[in-house]
Amino acid sequence: MKTLWTSRLTSFLFVLPYLAAFALFLLFPILYGFVISLQDFELLSAAHPFVGLRNYMTIFTPGTYENSIFFRGLWTTLQFVLYSVPLLIITGLGIAMLVNALPAKLRGLFRTFYFLPYALSASVMAVIWLMMFDTNAGFINSLLQKLGLTGIPWLTATPWAWIALVLTTLWWTIGFNMIIFVNALNEVPEDYYEAASMDGANAWKRFVSITLPSIRPVMLFVMITSTIASFNIYAQPFLLTRGGPGDTTRVLLINVLDQAFVRKDIGSASAMAILMALLIMLVSIVQFRLTNRKEKV
Amino acid sequence: MGKAKKTGLLLLAILIALFVLLPLVWMLSTAFKNDFEALSGRMNFLPKKPTLDNFVQGLSGELMNTPILRWIVNSLSVGIAGTAIVLLIDSMAAFALARLPDLPLRRTLLAMFIASLMIPGVLTFLPMYIEFNTLGLINTYQALILPATAGAFGVFLLYQFFVSFPKEIEEAARIDGVNKWNLYRRILLPSAVSIMTTLGIFTFMGIYNDFVWPLYATTSPEMRTITAGIAMMATGSYTQSYGKLMAMTTIAALPVLILFIAGQKSFVRAITSSGVK
């Protein structure tokens, strides 16, 4: 007969392998990141003297290089969030409703079409669009010229660079939001709509008074995941616009990785990464709170 | 719904589908053009002089610093190895959390794993790089595999499944004297094939498609994954060699597109159970 503690031990052995991976490659890096952010950590030097909060203070001191790249990068990222998130939500919901309105036989086919780009790697996606947007030889400008219009410098002038980044992001990720919304729409009881139709509510009214309230929790989920994803934008400006024109699309993550691997200042880059992570978590908490409050009113 | 409206919606759906599929079709078409034709600005979907040169040159390693065959082998290997590890350790952990009430710190561990799902990747990226650098593991397969094993998504997904597994079967087995390992191995795992497939597809695609970490965690051309390699090509000396680039993206996209279409139902299931409840 096994004693109690051997049973507890064997139970623990099941968790141990994952717990080790979790501790080594998630928990430890998080804690280590804080330590690094308190050090003068040059990538290539062996000594990493403790400097307290200096890396953070430099970021918040106007006029320093770190201050400029952090806040300009942050502003650029926020611009992208602002441009992309509403479109990601509206288009995602729109396409989901479109798919649901199609004849049942065709739904699966179109869902697969719309979802397909989501399977691609960010680098594959970006390189395909690099070719599509090429000023001289790109498909889109060739098409515009055929229609008698002039070509557009998609990746080298504003606002086109922003439009290109948002468009590629929509193309690449819209399938995710569509799937979430399709799922939510299918769970709205059919009799709600029938009852409303009998009361003479038109399509728009049914959408506002039945669809939207029913999918509210899902809407919140999509809002949060889309905001976080857009906050983490990297591949599109890194590969398509190279942060340009000038540095109009140099988003925060480009600057953080640049600070770490080009300027080799890991300490300062870690401080920036931590501030960015805190902001991302803060945004999701605020969004969660705001939407919850509305529900109570 | 009126017939005209139905037709209108179908037309709209087809139009959007064309927009979505066009870049993929154009990629495929350009992959069979020589660089000169690819840069000509002509809009022919069928290449004037179809050529396999881009694929042949790419795969034979003739292009400078681009051992593409090696990149694909790297990507597939780390994808498969990482997925195998994730499936094993996540299912064991989920089994213990859901089915072994005497597990020490059960609630604390569960809460910690679930809370970790909210941690943005940017928080661990740089310290993980320093960690692997200190261990001398930059530019090794370990660096490409191990970080992917720490995510709690799989534990969470399988935990939900194991928790809802009927107690009666388990109790019957326990009375028959089945030990914990056999309970896991012979009773719970066989019932979890479908959800494990879901997690497997999801994990493989995540590892295969990641390109930022491999870009920094590898330093020599022969250790790159295909996604990082393509990013290097596009920012390096192949910027406008669209014929070659598209042959590479076609090769890179093929495994995931096939897996995605074949396992779409599984994939959708992973997404929809990832947080919407």
Side-chain angles (χ1 to χ4, degrees):
Chain A
M1 176 125 177
K2 271 187 206 160
T3 56
L4 192 64
W5 73 267
T6 48
S7 170
R8 286 168 67 96
L9 181 69
T10 52
S11 295
F12 193 70
L13 286 179
F14 279 92
V15 187
L16 195 60
Y18 173 71
L19 188 61
F22 181 83
L24 284 172
F25 309 117
L26 197 69
L27 213 52
F28 173 75
I30 294 172
L31 301 174
Y32 189 36
F34 278 103
V35 175
I36 292 174
S37 78
L38 302 176
Q39 292 175 336
D40 181 4
F41 200 116
E42 284 279 322
L43 186 55
L44 301 175
S45 78
H48 312 300
F50 179 81
V51 292
L53 292 173
R54 201 183 71 192
N55 287 323
Y56 293 92
M57 272 145 69
T58 315
I59 293 169
F60 285 103
T61 307
T64 62
Y65 174 79
E66 286 75 11
N67 176 270
S68 127
I69 61 161
F70 181 79
F71 283 98
R72 282 165 76 173
L74 182 61
W75 169 235
T76 310
T77 296
L78 284 175
Q79 273 177 283
F80 179 75
V81 170
L82 232 56
Y83 303 147
S84 65
V85 172
L87 282 171
L88 283 166
I89 295 172
I90 295 168
T91 322
L93 181 57
I95 291 183
M97 292 176 70
L98 177 66
V99 167
N100 268 9
L102 292 175
K105 267 186 282 178
L106 293 174
R107 271 177 220 165
L109 184 67
F110 278 95
R111 214 181 53 177
T112 308
F113 285 160
Y114 300 154
F115 204 12
L116 213 50
Y118 191 76
L120 300 176
S121 165
S123 67
V124 169
M125 170 278 298
V127 174
I128 292 174
W129 281 97
L130 197 63
M131 170 192 62
M132 295 293 287
F133 280 129
D134 191 292
T135 310
N136 301 313
F139 187 89
I140 296 178
N141 276 358
S142 301
L143 184 67
L144 289 176
Q145 273 153 10
K146 213 157 220 182
L147 297 172
L149 303 162
T150 46
I152 289 170
W154 288 103
L155 305 175
T156 49
T158 45
W160 306 112
W162 280 119
I163 294 172
L165 294 183
V166 171
L167 209 63
T168 48
T169 307
L170 277 176
W171 180 82
W172 184 39
T173 62
I174 203 64
F176 179 87
N177 287 356
M178 172 200 71
I179 289 292
I180 303 276
F181 278 129
V182 163
N183 223 46
L185 290 172
N186 288 340
E187 275 172 25
V188 183
E190 200 59 44
D191 15 329
Y192 284 18
Y193 291 112
E194 277 162 25
S197 291
M198 269 189 260
D199 289 346
N202 61 22
W204 175 248
K205 253 205 168 138
R206 289 197 299 266
F207 173 72
V208 173
S209 63
I210 299 170
T211 312
L212 279 185
S214 309
I215 62 170
R216 172 165 246 147
V218 172
M219 195 72 128
L220 171 69
F221 175 79
V222 171
M223 240 162 84
I224 291 176
T225 50
S226 298
T227 307
I228 293 175
S230 289
F231 234 103
N232 282 313
I233 181 166
Y234 178 76
Q236 296 91 316
F238 175 68
L239 292 168
L240 283 173
T241 59
R242 311 267 175 96
D247 54 7
T248 30
T249 59
R250 263 188 89 90
V251 294
L252 186 52
L253 209 46
I254 292 185
N255 285 347
V256 171
L257 291 178
D258 207 68
Q259 181 76 359
F261 294 107
V262 179
R263 293 175 56 95
K264 316 238 181 269
D265 187 345
I266 300 274
S268 159
S270 291
M272 290 182 194
I274 288 168
L275 292 173
M276 181 176 165
L278 287 177
L279 266 170
I280 291 174
M281 291 191 276
L282 193 71
V283 167
S284 29
I285 293 170
V286 168
Q287 275 189 345
F288 190 71
R289 282 278 163 91
L290 278 180
T291 325
N292 265 5
R293 192 167 301 153
K294 264 191 215 145
E295 218 146 17
K296 273 176 204 150
V297 171
Chain B
M1 222 186 314
K3 199 158 187 189
K5 203 174 157 195
K6 259 187 182 165
T7 318
L9 284 177
L10 188 59
L11 280 176
L12 182 63
I14 292 171
L15 210 67
I16 299 174
L18 284 178
F19 167 73
V20 171
L21 296 179
L22 195 131
L24 294 175
V25 176
W26 191 244
M27 165 186 83
L28 204 61
S29 148
T30 308
F32 293 98
K33 293 174 182 170
N34 59 41
D35 282 341
F36 176 73
E37 192 183 350
L39 272 174
S40 69
R42 272 196 294 269
M43 294 173 63
N44 50 325
F45 280 91
L46 288 176
K48 276 216 163 72
K49 287 182 199 156
T51 171
L52 286 171
D53 281 0
N54 298 320
F55 292 95
V56 173
Q57 285 177 0
L59 291 174
S60 65
E62 275 173 42
L63 304 179
M64 215 177 40
N65 278 332
T66 58
I68 284 142
L69 210 54
R70 177 74 193 260
W71 291 351
I72 299 163
V73 173
N74 288 347
S75 281
L76 293 175
S77 315
V78 298
I80 291 168
T83 305
I85 297 175
V86 165
L87 287 178
L88 178 69
I89 67 177
D90 285 16
S91 64
M92 284 171 63
F95 163 73
L97 288 165
R99 285 290 164 186
L100 302 175
D102 69 351
L103 174 72
L105 301 171
R106 201 181 67 91
R107 281 169 177 279
T108 315
L109 289 173
L110 193 59
M112 191 168 72
F113 295 156
I114 290 175
S116 79
L117 290 171
M118 289 193 303
I119 303 289
V122 63
L123 196 57
T124 53
F125 192 93
L126 295 174
M128 190 111 76
Y129 177 85
I130 301 296
E131 184 183 0
F132 277 89
N133 197 29
T134 310
L135 295 171
L137 290 177
I138 288 296
N139 210 34
T140 64
Y141 285 124
Q142 290 94 307
L144 296 173
I145 295 168
L146 292 175
T149 61
F153 173 73
V155 176
F156 179 63
L157 189 74
L158 296 174
Y159 171 80
Q160 284 177 316
F161 178 82
F162 287 147
V163 149
S164 59
F165 189 78
K167 264 212 164 66
E168 294 73 26
I169 302 175
E170 186 188 330
E171 271 159 16
R174 270 185 197 272
I175 290 166
D176 289 345
V178 173
N179 66 22
K180 285 172 194 164
W181 175 256
N182 281 332
L183 190 65
Y184 159 77
R185 177 71 190 77
R186 305 204 184 286
I187 297 179
L188 277 146
L189 263 197
S191 73
V193 170
S194 138
I195 192 89
M196 293 276 279
T197 311
T198 297
L199 178 61
I201 293 176
F202 202 75
T203 308
F204 179 84
M205 287 183 61
I207 300 174
Y208 183 95
N209 278 344
D210 185 21
F211 90 98
V212 187
W213 173 254
L215 201 58
Y216 290 98
T218 61
T219 50
S220 62
E222 75 274 5
M223 282 308 293
R224 299 235 151 78
T225 59
I226 183 86
T227 51
I230 283 173
M232 298 286 288
M233 281 176 79
T235 52
S237 41
Y238 294 92
T239 308
Q240 280 199 318
S241 308
Y242 290 127
K244 291 186 182 67
L245 279 175
M246 289 309 115
M248 296 313 107
T249 52
T250 302
I251 293 171
L254 227 47
V256 268
L257 285 183
I258 291 169
L259 191 64
F260 183 76
I261 291 171
Q264 201 197 152
K265 281 214 176 87
S266 279
F267 198 78
V268 168
R269 186 169 162 201
I271 286 179
T272 48
S273 58
S274 66
V276 203
K277 269 280 140 190

